[in-house]
């Protein structure tokens, strides 16, 4: 902003006021655009109007101007914080209002989604999907603790810290009843931690491995064969239905056989799903006992 384009002085020669024709010799006068006028006529006919207070800027006032706009020096202050802008950097904004550089920076800065105040240069902040918060304003929707730059989980318009998300949304392990925050597996529509879904005997994790369930207990193939599976009365090996060749089991009087091991003692004919005879603890087809 620059000063006004006129001069004020005391007339020493014989001149009359350009407007009222009163003599100016020995009086205070104003010279503007080559014309001499008394102070009263200057204020009435020539003075610029202050864009801020809308009053004339008299000859006795200090005038500042910028881009054909005029201010009293006392009116030339920041619209936002009222700091005087004489000899200070400024910006002319909407409605011909002048702003200091600090208020301009704050006004143009992004607004915190938490407190709605500006986030200015140097402020620690958190950004997520084109939204921004002061670091201390980014809090958990449940416990209200500051999340800051820590881990969080978004749910619609809400944000949760890890702990609150676990208790509010995470699935609960069928064994330990604690939340499953990552990974895990599902068996018979129930969720499990990987480290909880283990063999009841050797305690090895069963995720992605073959296993069998017996009375709500889980066993890997090796432990099932060793500790749980019945022994075939024919070959004396474990009967592991579903794990290998034998998928059917034959049971008779507290003994069990692989279906392919249940055969006639004499002719070795397979007897699974066929008539058979038990003689002296041995199994025969219907024909062989006649030949004994």
């Amino acid at each position: 902003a620059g000063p006004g384009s006129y001069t004020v002085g005391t007339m020493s020669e014989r001149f009359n006021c350009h407007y009222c024709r009163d003599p100016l010799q020995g009086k205070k006068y104003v010279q503007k655009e080559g014309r001499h006028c008394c102070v009263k006529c200057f204020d009435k006919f020539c003075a610029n109007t202050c864009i801020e207070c809308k009053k004339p800027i008299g000859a006795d006032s200090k005038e500042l101007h910028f881009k054909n706009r005029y201010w009293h020096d006392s009116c030339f202050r920041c619209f936002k914080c009222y700091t005087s802008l004489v000899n200070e950097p400024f910006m002319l904004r909407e409605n011909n209002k002048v702003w200091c550089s600090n208020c301009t920076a704050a006004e143009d800065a992004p607004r915190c989604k938490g407190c709605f105040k500006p986030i200015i240069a140097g402020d620690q902040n958190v950004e997520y999907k084109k939204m921004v918060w002061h670091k201390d304003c980014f809090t958990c929707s449940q416990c209200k603790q500051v999340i800051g730059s820590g881990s969080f989980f978004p749910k619609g318009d809400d944000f949760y810290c890890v702990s609150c998300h676990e208790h509010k949304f995470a699935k609960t392990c069928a064994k330990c009843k604690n939340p499953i925050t990552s990974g895990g597996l599902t068996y018979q529509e129930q969720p499990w931690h990987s480290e909880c879904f283990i063999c009841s005997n050797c305690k090895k994790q069963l995720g992605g491995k073959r296993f069998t369930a017996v009375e709500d207990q889980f066993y890997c193939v090796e432990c099932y064969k060793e500790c749980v599976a019945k022994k075939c009365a024919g070959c004396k090996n474990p009967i592991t239905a579903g794990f290998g060749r034998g998928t059917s089991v034959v049971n008779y009087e507290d003994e069990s056989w692989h279906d392919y091991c249940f055969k006639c003692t004499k002719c070795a004919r397979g007897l699974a799903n066929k008539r058979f005879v038990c003689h002296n603890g041995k199994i025969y087809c219907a024909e062989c006992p006649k030949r004994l």
Side-chain angles (χ1 to χ4, degrees):
S5 55
Y6 58 87
T7 58
V8 180
T10 301
M11 182 63 70
S12 58
E13 302 178 25
R14 294 183 63 85
F15 278 100
N16 296 330
C17 172
H18 176 77
Y19 296 98
C20 68
R21 311 311 299 171
D22 286 349
L24 296 176
Q25 187 173 11
K27 296 180 181 179
K28 192 174 183 180
Y29 76 99
V30 180
Q31 182 178 351
K32 184 177 182 180
E33 298 176 354
R35 297 173 180 174
H36 301 81
C37 62
C38 65
V39 171
K40 183 177 180 180
C41 287
F42 175 85
D43 292 350
K44 184 177 181 180
F45 300 110
C46 302
N48 294 312
T49 301
C50 176
I51 200 170
E52 182 64 26
C53 69
K54 311 304 180 185
K55 295 179 180 180
I57 305 174
D60 293 328
S61 301
K62 292 183 178 179
E63 178 184 278
L64 299 174
H65 75 274
F66 178 74
K67 291 186 176 180
N68 295 322
R69 295 171 178 86
Y70 301 86
W71 294 264
H72 294 101
D73 65 339
S74 58
C75 292
F76 195 64
R77 56 187 181 180
C78 177
F79 172 74
K80 195 76 173 179
C81 68
Y82 304 107
T83 300
S84 173
L85 295 177
V86 177
N87 300 321
E88 298 293 335
F90 67 93
M91 177 174 289
L92 188 64
R93 296 175 65 93
E94 60 275 6
N95 299 322
N96 293 321
K97 301 298 183 181
V98 286
W99 294 55
C100 68
S101 54
N102 290 337
C103 289
T104 298
E107 183 71 12
D108 294 338
R111 296 279 170 171
C112 172
K113 185 147 181 75
C115 67
F116 305 106
K117 295 180 180 179
I119 298 175
I120 60 176
D123 285 347
Q124 290 183 313
N125 62 78
V126 176
E127 293 186 32
Y128 178 74
K129 288 187 175 180
K130 298 183 179 180
M131 296 182 289
V132 62
W133 294 259
H134 292 108
K135 185 177 179 181
D136 291 340
C137 292
F138 190 59
T139 59
C140 174
S141 298
Q142 182 78 10
C143 67
K144 309 303 180 183
Q145 296 296 310
V146 174
I147 297 174
S149 56
S151 299
F152 66 92
F153 292 88
K155 286 288 184 180
D157 293 330
D158 296 324
F159 300 89
Y160 296 89
C161 65
V162 174
S163 177
C164 288
H165 183 267
E166 288 179 0
H167 288 89
K168 191 173 180 68
F169 299 105
K171 295 180 179 179
T172 301
C173 176
K175 182 177 181 180
C176 70
K177 309 304 180 184
N178 290 321
I180 301 173
T181 58
S182 63
L185 51 87
T186 301
Y187 175 68
Q188 292 186 342
E189 298 183 354
Q190 288 186 313
W192 301 71
H193 289 113
S194 297
E195 59 270 22
C196 290
F197 196 70
I198 58 177
C199 174
S200 297
N201 187 58
C202 68
K203 309 304 180 185
K204 291 181 179 178
Q205 293 187 22
L206 297 176
K209 299 179 180 179
R210 299 172 68 200
F211 68 92
T212 190
V214 180
E215 297 179 352
D216 296 328
Q217 300 293 315
F218 305 107
Y219 297 91
C220 63
V221 176
E222 292 75 16
C223 289
Y224 179 78
K225 291 179 179 179
E226 182 69 26
C227 306
V228 182
K230 294 179 179 181
K231 300 299 188 291
C232 177
C235 68
K236 310 304 179 185
N237 290 321
I239 300 174
T240 55
F243 285 135
R245 177 185 169 192
T247 57
S248 298
V249 180
V250 178
N251 296 302
Y252 178 71
E253 292 187 350
D254 297 327
E255 290 191 305
S256 300
W257 290 260
H258 296 106
D259 61 347
Y260 54 84
C261 291
F262 191 65
K263 55 190 177 182
C264 177
T265 304
K266 185 171 180 62
C267 69
R269 180 187 301 173
L271 298 176
N273 298 318
K274 296 180 181 179
R275 293 177 61 195
F276 65 92
V277 176
C278 182
H279 181 70
N280 293 330
K282 295 183 178 180
I283 303 299
Y284 296 92
C285 65
E287 300 298 325
C288 283
K290 299 176 183 178
R291 301 188 185 102
L292 295 177

